[in-house]
Amino acid sequence: KAGVTQTPRYLIKTRGQQVTLSCSPISGHRSVSWYQQTPGQGLQFLFEYFSETQRNKGNFPGRFSGRQFSNSRSEMNVSTLELGDSALYLCASSSGDRSSYNEQFFGPGTRLTVL
Amino acid sequence: GNSVTQMEGPVTLSEEAFLTINCTYTATGYPSLFWYVQYPGEGLQLLLKATKADDKGSNKGFEATYRKETTSFHLEKGSVQVSDSAVYFCALMNTGFQKLVFGTGTRLLVSP
């Protein structure tokens, strides 16, 4: 079974630009979550999508948004980039069943650098 | 709110030494607890998990026991290898929510 894939792996942007990151979950998984990893703030939850609907949201400004398609692939968008948005962005997929624990599988991440 | 506290690193050990990385948590309800490992340049890999009190998670020689009375989930390994050098994250998740809350991570450096 193929794992979680993220594209691109590396990205360099300048302040003020916008960026779109993509995540393809494991086949059959309907939940995709996004996390931001920075040296200062550590790993922080951005949002979760399940069946094309945002089901959970972290404490990030509205410049951070996402969506999920009918095939469960997800994109996240960051508009008006700031230097502090430089981070490793990780996505994780799971079955999304809320009635029990289900493991989240992480992708390799997209390294975003804002200059 | 939910939070995870883990010991500061780096932890520097010689090969075959005993490892303990402390982790304590604060949570509402009865969360599941996890240890994830991150190797340089890679994403997170689940190392082990425990979903209820007194459960012991184990994998690749690593172990951790879910202690509700002390709200702890300490990671241990009896004999570390150079290949164990990585960053280890303790995390929790409340059942029904696909949101992991992570500790700050502990870097482990193992020398030959």
Side-chain angles (χ1 to χ4, degrees):
Chain A
K1 213 177 204 184
V4 179
T5 57
Q6 292 187 246
T7 57
R9 291 294 309 277
Y10 302 91
L11 209 47
I12 299 175
K13 292 287 187 178
T14 56
R15 277 179 299 174
Q17 287 187 310
Q18 75 162 16
V19 67
T20 299
L21 313 181
S22 180
C23 173
S24 293
I26 291 171
S27 178
H29 283 184
R30 295 165 66 192
S31 169
V32 174
S33 299
W34 290 89
Y35 295 83
Q36 181 196 63
Q37 185 177 21
T38 60
Q41 299 299 315
L43 279 154
Q44 293 186 289
F45 173 80
L46 280 154
F47 29 64
E48 181 223 357
Y49 285 85
F50 178 81
S51 293
E52 302 179 66
T53 301
Q54 187 179 87
R55 194 164 65 169
N56 211 345
K57 188 177 187 305
N59 189 25
F60 277 81
R63 300 186 297 108
F64 292 81
S65 63
R67 59 177 176 169
Q68 187 179 34
F69 301 94
S70 58
N71 62 356
S72 294
R73 189 178 70 85
S74 177
E75 290 180 346
M76 68 162 280
N77 184 278
V78 188
S79 63
T80 320
L81 283 165
E82 300 176 0
L83 294 179
D85 297 333
S86 294
L88 180 67
Y89 290 89
L90 295 164
C91 86
S93 80
S94 73
S95 66
D97 178 6
R98 274 183 151 171
S99 63
S100 63
Y101 157 75
N102 46 96
E103 181 178 341
Q104 292 200 356
F105 295 84
F106 282 82
T110 294
R111 171 76 62 186
L112 171 64
T113 302
V114 182
L115 302 176
Chain B
N2 296 338
S3 66
V4 175
T5 302
Q6 61 182 107
M7 60 191 288
E8 293 281 334
V11 173
T12 305
L13 295 172
S14 297
E15 206 165 24
E16 299 183 2
F18 184 85
L19 168 72
T20 300
I21 300 177
N22 291 338
C23 170
T24 56
Y25 67 91
T26 302
T28 54
Y30 303 97
S32 295
L33 302 175
F34 309 88
W35 278 100
Y36 281 85
V37 59
Q38 186 174 38
Y39 297 100
E42 297 184 14
L44 298 172
Q45 298 177 26
L46 179 64
L47 181 60
L48 54 84
K49 67 181 186 292
T51 57
K52 61 183 187 298
D54 299 324
D55 268 2
K56 177 187 281 190
S58 61
N59 185 26
K60 299 180 182 179
F62 291 89
E63 293 183 339
T65 301
Y66 189 142
R67 302 284 188 202
K68 190 168 182 294
E69 63 276 13
T70 55
T71 61
S72 65
F73 192 55
H74 305 320
L75 182 68
E76 296 182 336
K77 186 175 186 183
S79 176
V80 294
Q81 306 299 312
V82 172
S83 57
D84 293 328
S85 297
V87 180
Y88 293 80
F89 292 91
C90 185
L92 67 80
M93 180 192 295
N94 281 113
T95 302
F97 295 92
Q98 300 299 303
K99 173 185 174 182
L100 284 160
V101 176
F102 289 92
T104 52
T106 302
R107 182 175 300 278
L108 171 65
L109 301 170
V110 181
S111 55

